[in-house]
Amino acid sequence: MTGTEPSDEPDGDTLLDRVGSHVRENRNGMLQDLVFAVVWVTLTSLLYDFAFASAPQWVLYMFLIAGIPAYFGFFVSLEMAKERR
């Protein structure tokens, strides 16, 4: 062995460089995902706490899981609306 080991990072990029590059490329999408998640969880929690206060906790989990198809439905319809313009 020569004392130098091959690097796992291609072209000298570090993990931090790769993560930074990924974030720069996908900034708007990541921000939209975060905003949707925060709004969905907030609305779901408020709905469960006030409208369904006596409901079992699995109702909260079902509302949260319903966010998955709601997310895809919202962004697919958003893309369709953008294409029509």
Side-chain angles (χ1 to χ4, degrees):
M1 243 176 164
T2 62
T4 59
E5 305 244 352
S7 176
D8 290 337
E9 292 91 18
D11 301 327
D13 286 344
T14 64
L15 178 62
L16 186 58
D17 292 335
R18 287 184 280 169
V19 169
S21 174
H22 179 76
V23 169
R24 277 190 300 278
E25 292 171 4
N26 300 299
R27 180 173 297 155
N28 289 338
M30 293 173 77
L31 182 62
Q32 290 172 350
D33 294 348
L34 178 65
V35 169
F36 184 88
V38 168
V39 168
W40 185 264
V41 170
T42 301
L43 290 176
T44 299
S45 296
L46 290 173
L47 186 65
Y48 177 74
D49 288 342
F50 295 111
F52 300 104
S54 62
Q57 192 165 11
W58 63 265
V59 172
L60 172 65
Y61 297 141
M62 295 306 286
F63 280 138
L64 291 173
I65 290 172
I68 297 168
Y71 169 85
F72 287 106
F74 175 74
F75 283 106
V76 166
S77 67
L78 186 64
E79 287 297 319
M80 290 172 56
K82 286 180 181 179
E83 288 176 3
R84 287 185 187 169
R85 282 203 309 169

